[in-house]
Amino acid sequence: MRRQLLTAAAVIVLAATATACNGDGTDPAADPGASADKSPAPQQSDPAPGQGGAGQGGGQDKDKGQGQDKGRGQGGAQTVGGKLTLKGKKPGEQLDVTLKGFADPAHSDNKYMKPAAGKRWVAAQFELVNTGTAAYSDSPSSGAKVVDGQGQSFTQTMGSVTEGPKFPVTVNIAQGAKSLGWVVFSVPENSKPEKVQFTLDGGFGNETGEWTLKK
């Protein structure tokens, strides 16, 4: 009986020893990562409007600059007798343009050529001086206009006037040389011209000179 008790006690001791040896040898409480904070790092708050950082718009966009007005020649507003400097489309093209005179009405020098019924002729005299670095060849009459008080524009018309000779169809002006001539326009009888305009390159240049007529 005593031997049986001793044998049973030995079996219990052996079972307890075996249970202790079945672990993985790791203490869960000793795992440094077991209780670590796994929440994501705080995100940077969005910048306030107008305070964007590098690489962000953040209101930092700036205007790229206003386009400069290329529609007017150098010399400001002018009247009859005034001179404007205008550039052409080709390199070195530049003229000093002066409105020398304006005739209203202008008178035909040919009895067979008269203004149409309800119309009258007016004429503008221009002096063109080549102040550029290249010879200038153009059709000046094609680049001239008269604008009335209603905003209507009128281009050259056929006919010549007693006020003086017209420009030829093509004018060639060497560097430093000049040309003088009249351009004739047909306008309605009740039209009141207020401005004269001139553009180089047959009217296709980038700059337009303008002269205000006295009322």
Side-chain angles (χ1 to χ4, degrees):
M1 183 66 178
R2 184 178 180 182
R3 179 174 293 183
Q4 291 177 350
L5 293 174
L6 291 174
T7 301
V11 171
I12 293 172
V13 171
L14 291 173
T17 302
T19 300
C21 293
N22 283 338
D24 60 5
T26 303
D27 183 358
D31 184 0
S35 60
D37 184 3
K38 298 298 184 179
S39 60
Q43 297 182 357
Q44 184 177 358
S45 60
D46 293 336
Q51 297 180 357
Q56 297 180 350
Q60 296 297 318
D61 291 342
K62 296 182 178 180
D63 292 339
K64 299 185 181 297
Q66 299 294 330
Q68 296 183 351
D69 180 9
K70 297 182 180 181
R72 296 285 178 249
Q74 299 177 17
Q78 297 290 335
T79 57
V80 176
K83 179 177 69 177
L84 292 170
T85 300
L86 303 176
K87 296 182 182 298
K89 297 178 71 67
K90 298 178 182 178
E93 289 184 340
Q94 178 177 289
L95 297 182
D96 280 355
V97 182
T98 303
L99 179 63
K100 301 288 285 185
F102 187 79
D104 184 9
H107 306 90
S108 176
D109 65 355
N110 187 329
K111 65 179 182 179
Y112 298 107
M113 294 190 68
K114 301 288 184 179
K119 301 289 185 67
R120 74 181 191 279
W121 285 356
V122 298
Q125 185 187 41
F126 295 96
E127 180 185 74
L128 312 178
V129 180
N130 187 346
T131 54
T133 58
Y136 189 75
S137 180
D138 194 11
S139 175
S141 298
S142 298
K145 290 182 180 180
V146 166
V147 182
D148 69 8
Q150 297 180 350
Q152 300 178 108
S153 297
F154 305 94
T155 56
Q156 65 164 328
T157 190
M158 296 290 291
S160 53
V161 293
T162 59
E163 281 72 17
K166 295 175 60 177
F167 280 116
V169 174
T170 301
V171 171
N172 298 298
I173 310 175
Q175 184 180 3
K178 66 180 179 181
S179 181
L180 182 69
W182 288 84
V183 182
V184 181
F185 309 88
S186 178
V187 301
E189 280 287 1
N190 61 354
S191 177
K192 297 180 180 180
E194 289 190 353
K195 298 175 182 179
V196 175
Q197 296 178 341
F198 188 85
T199 307
L200 274 61
D201 299 307
F204 292 96
N206 296 326
E207 296 183 340
T208 296
E210 185 174 275
W211 294 260
T212 301
L213 301 173
K214 293 182 179 180
K215 297 182 181 180

